[in-house]
Amino acid sequence: MKYITGDKQMIKEINKSSILRVIQTNAPISRAQIAKTLNLTSATVSSIVKELIDEGIVKSLGSGTLNGSGRRPILLMLNNNNTISYSVGVHIHKNGVEAALVNLLGNVLKSSHRDFYKGGELEEQVIEAIHLVMENAAQRNIIGIGIGVNGIYNPSKDISLYIPASNMRNHTLKEKIEAEFHLPVYIENDTNAMAIGEKWYGNAKTLENYILLNIGSGIGAGIVINGKLCCGAGHAAGEIGHICVQPNGLQCICGKRGCLDTVATEYSIIREVKSAINRGTKSVVTELVSGDPRKITIDTLRQAASLQDACVLDVLKYAGQYIGIVVSYLLNIINPQAIFLSGSVAHLGEPILSYIRENALAFSMDESSAGVRIEVSALMENANVIGAASLNIQNRLQPDIIA
Ligand SMILES: [Zn+2]
């Protein structure tokens, strides 16, 4: 917690965000329990809780069990039916833009997904995607727009944006989108946004040291240490997809050789399966795509893995081994409480997770991995847009998590 003096409004905002977090994490909870947890006076808690109830963010749940004074305390929780406050979450990935209207509990109410089209500026395409989910939502109070962007984005410069696969650089997204919607706009690297989303809406609510691994078209890590996002000096921390695992391996999109990305992204895994089939390895995949390897998708591999297809399981073992080795580095360096996995490759489930876990534990020190949870993110396929939406709440209510 920052040490702040003299600014009553700021202290109030920090207390409000802390109270909201305690309610979200521990609901149902009474005012007295909140005061005890945060070491605040009961008058402060009562006044802020009244505001949160008036704003429709928190609601009373009825009476709890008798306390020491013989009274039944009123229990509080976040308002599931809150029709007042929403946030828009946007994910800019290598092929297009996803947008969603998300309520304060992290539920997606409406979403849109469009591939990039030729001739349109990135800013225009993002604005169009946001309009699609904000249609008919004028009566709602949208607190802001959060954008998770694939690649490197430095919030302190606000204009530095690089989407590697699309080779898009230096877009001034924030300014243009704020001007269009007259709402606050927060932008982060997509994996960092997912790590923040896991804190608000996933399984990291009570954790201070954890890592979100996003394994899909690329591989990245959102690293939270002592409750704060670790962004690095140039906001490029967590680029674990570009850790070298094969010094003489394939050329990577970053220009180096043998990066983890070259063996374990969705594209790399599909490439390896195609290559095995081309070498004559028998696989149920051939039947699933009616003999046309161009039709192989990550869903085809999920189906084949569930049928115990040896060819696909071998490729997943190969990729899972390298991911697990890199996870072992993270365990040794960071010693986190948990690693949460997200992205299309993580959603292949146990067939690859078991290899990731096995290798992560085999190649890390026992002391560094003791008690660590390695599991799929609770936010599943919506992790990107929910993570982006959570940037609004994070920045407005608890900015000190962001370095
Ligand atoms: Zn690379």
Side-chain angles (χ1 to χ4, degrees):
M1 179 67 75
K2 293 171 188 167
Y3 183 66
I4 296 167
T5 57
D7 188 334
K8 282 185 180 172
Q9 185 56 33
M10 188 177 286
I11 291 170
K12 187 180 167 192
E13 286 298 311
I14 290 171
N15 285 340
K16 193 172 178 180
S17 76
S18 302
I19 288 171
L20 190 57
R21 280 295 301 277
V22 167
I23 295 173
Q24 191 217 19
T25 307
N26 301 293
I29 186 168
S30 69
R31 289 170 177 79
Q33 287 168 313
I34 296 169
K36 193 175 171 190
T37 305
L38 294 172
N39 200 20
L40 292 172
T41 66
S42 54
T44 300
V45 171
S46 290
S47 148
I48 292 174
V49 164
K50 182 177 181 308
E51 262 183 40
L52 289 167
I53 290 175
D54 289 347
E55 289 167 12
I57 296 170
V58 166
K59 68 174 181 179
S60 298
L61 194 63
S63 303
T65 51
L66 286 173
N67 60 21
S69 65
R71 296 214 316 245
R72 292 180 188 275
I74 303 293
L75 299 178
L76 304 163
M77 65 179 291
L78 292 194
N79 186 2
N80 203 11
N81 299 316
N82 178 355
T83 53
I84 298 172
S85 304
Y86 294 84
S87 108
V88 173
V90 179
H91 180 216
I92 303 173
H93 56 86
K94 69 169 194 168
N95 297 318
V97 186
E98 275 180 277
L101 189 65
V102 181
N103 70 11
L104 285 185
L105 291 180
N107 299 317
V108 172
L109 305 175
K110 190 175 180 184
S111 62
S112 72
H113 188 191
R114 297 175 71 170
D115 285 345
F116 288 130
Y117 56 84
K118 283 190 180 152
E121 285 294 319
L122 176 66
E123 294 86 343
E124 282 172 34
Q125 303 199 39
V126 172
I127 287 170
E128 284 169 21
I130 295 171
H131 274 302
L132 282 177
V133 295
M134 285 180 62
E135 264 175 18
N136 305 320
Q139 76 280 14
R140 292 166 173 159
N141 180 14
I142 295 174
I143 64 169
I145 297 168
I147 302 177
V149 63
N150 174 254
I152 296 170
Y153 177 79
N154 188 336
S156 65
K157 293 183 182 171
D158 274 348
I159 58 165
S160 177
L161 174 64
Y162 173 40
I163 305 177
S166 315
N167 205 22
M168 292 184 180
R169 287 180 187 271
N170 300 326
H171 286 261
T172 52
L173 270 179
K174 183 178 161 71
E175 218 172 86
K176 290 182 180 168
I177 294 169
E178 277 180 343
E180 174 75 17
F181 295 100
H182 306 290
L183 285 168
V185 173
Y186 303 100
I187 307 181
E188 248 303 341
N189 164 269
D190 53 358
T191 305
N192 284 345
M194 290 161 82
I196 293 171
E198 200 67 31
K199 181 88 177 164
W200 279 94
Y201 300 118
N203 287 334
K205 287 178 187 139
T206 59
L207 304 185
E208 293 290 307
N209 293 282
Y210 65 94
I211 298 169
L212 186 296
L213 287 194
N214 186 13
I215 314 171
S217 56
I219 303 174
I223 302 168
V224 174
I225 301 175
N226 296 334
K228 289 191 177 185
L229 198 57
C230 171
C231 298
H235 222 82
E239 291 292 338
I240 63 159
H242 303 287
I243 287 177
C244 181
V245 293
Q246 293 179 333
N248 299 313
L250 296 172
Q251 175 102 39
C252 179
I253 194 168
C254 72
K256 318 282 176 173
R257 277 198 178 274
C259 297
L260 181 63
D261 263 25
T262 65
V263 295
T265 59
E266 176 180 324
Y267 168 81
S268 305
I269 290 171
I270 291 174
R271 181 199 66 220
E272 285 302 310
V273 170
K274 282 181 183 170
S275 161
I277 292 172
N278 282 341
R279 290 195 305 270
T281 309
K282 295 276 179 250
S283 170
V284 72
V285 167
T286 310
E287 280 172 51
L288 291 172
V289 296
S290 309
D292 183 354
R294 289 171 304 178
K295 291 183 183 167
I296 299 175
T297 65
I298 200 78
D299 285 330
T300 320
L301 303 191
R302 187 181 295 112
Q303 268 183 280
S306 70
L307 295 168
Q308 300 299 312
D309 182 75
C311 168
V312 168
L313 291 178
D314 273 353
V315 172
L316 296 186
K317 182 177 182 180
Y318 177 77
Q321 177 190 346
Y322 284 111
I323 298 169
I325 288 172
V326 170
V327 170
S328 78
Y329 302 161
L330 292 172
L331 296 178
N332 280 348
I333 296 168
I334 310 286
N335 183 207
Q337 294 158 290
I339 305 262
F340 299 106
L341 300 140
S342 196
S344 59
V345 172
H347 295 147
L348 288 168
E350 272 312 308
I352 191 159
L353 291 182
S354 56
Y355 295 124
I356 295 172
R357 273 196 209 100
E358 185 183 314
N359 286 281
L361 300 180
F363 292 107
S364 56
M365 284 182 68
D366 292 347
E367 292 80 0
S368 303
S369 60
V372 71
R373 291 155 53 191
I374 301 177
E375 61 191 46
V376 174
S377 160
L379 304 180
M380 299 300 289
E381 281 80 4
N382 285 325
N384 273 308
V385 284
I386 293 175
S390 71
L391 293 174
N392 291 300
I393 300 169
Q394 186 62 56
N395 277 283
R396 290 187 61 172
L397 298 180
Q398 203 168 31
D400 57 334
I401 193 177
I402 297 177

